Amino acid sequence: MDVGIVEAPAPPAHGRDAPARFPAACPSRVVLTHVTSRWGVLVLLALEQGGMRWGELRRTIEGISEKMLASTLRTLEHDGIVNRVAQPTIPPRVDYSLTESGAELAARLVPLMDWIVEHADTIVDRSSDD
């Protein structure tokens, strides 16, 4: 039986000739921008606790303007991450909740947020020393 020489795969290229690892045209950039904006993360984490109405979200996410909340919810709804259900009542009632993929995403963000909360004071203290 003839055993040929097997070459090891070439190591990844580094430097100027290396292909872009995070290409500008990658669709993940769009999703990343929507999801990881300051307000996007906070909306996802708020809705991770359960569905909410507009006013509940606004009270839960202190500091968000009506315009930013509307824009963020519209974007996340368009992305299939947030579900919007308008009730035909007077006054109108609109409920927001996470879709299945939104819930999966929020579950992944919770550990990140836990880490941030745990380390925020130390990081902010270091930043203010500079």
Side-chain angles (χ1 to χ4, degrees), residues 51-119:
M52 292 186 185
R53 294 177 65 185
W54 172 275
E56 293 173 292
L57 275 168
R58 185 111 194 272
R59 285 187 298 276
T60 300
I61 306 169
E62 291 183 5
I64 191 169
S65 69
E66 288 184 17
K67 181 180 177 181
M68 283 310 303
L69 180 56
S71 175
T72 301
L73 286 168
R74 199 170 23 256
T75 298
L76 294 175
E77 180 187 6
H78 180 266
D79 291 346
I81 294 170
V82 168
N83 190 30
R84 178 185 185 273
V85 177
Q87 306 293 333
T89 61
I90 300 177
R93 176 186 171 126
V94 180
D95 295 298
Y96 295 92
S97 60
L98 296 175
T99 63
E100 188 176 320
S101 61
E104 182 182 343
L105 173 59
R108 292 170 186 262
L109 286 173
V110 168
L112 173 62
M113 192 63 183
D114 289 344
W115 185 92
I116 290 170
V117 168
E118 183 179 333
H119 295 89

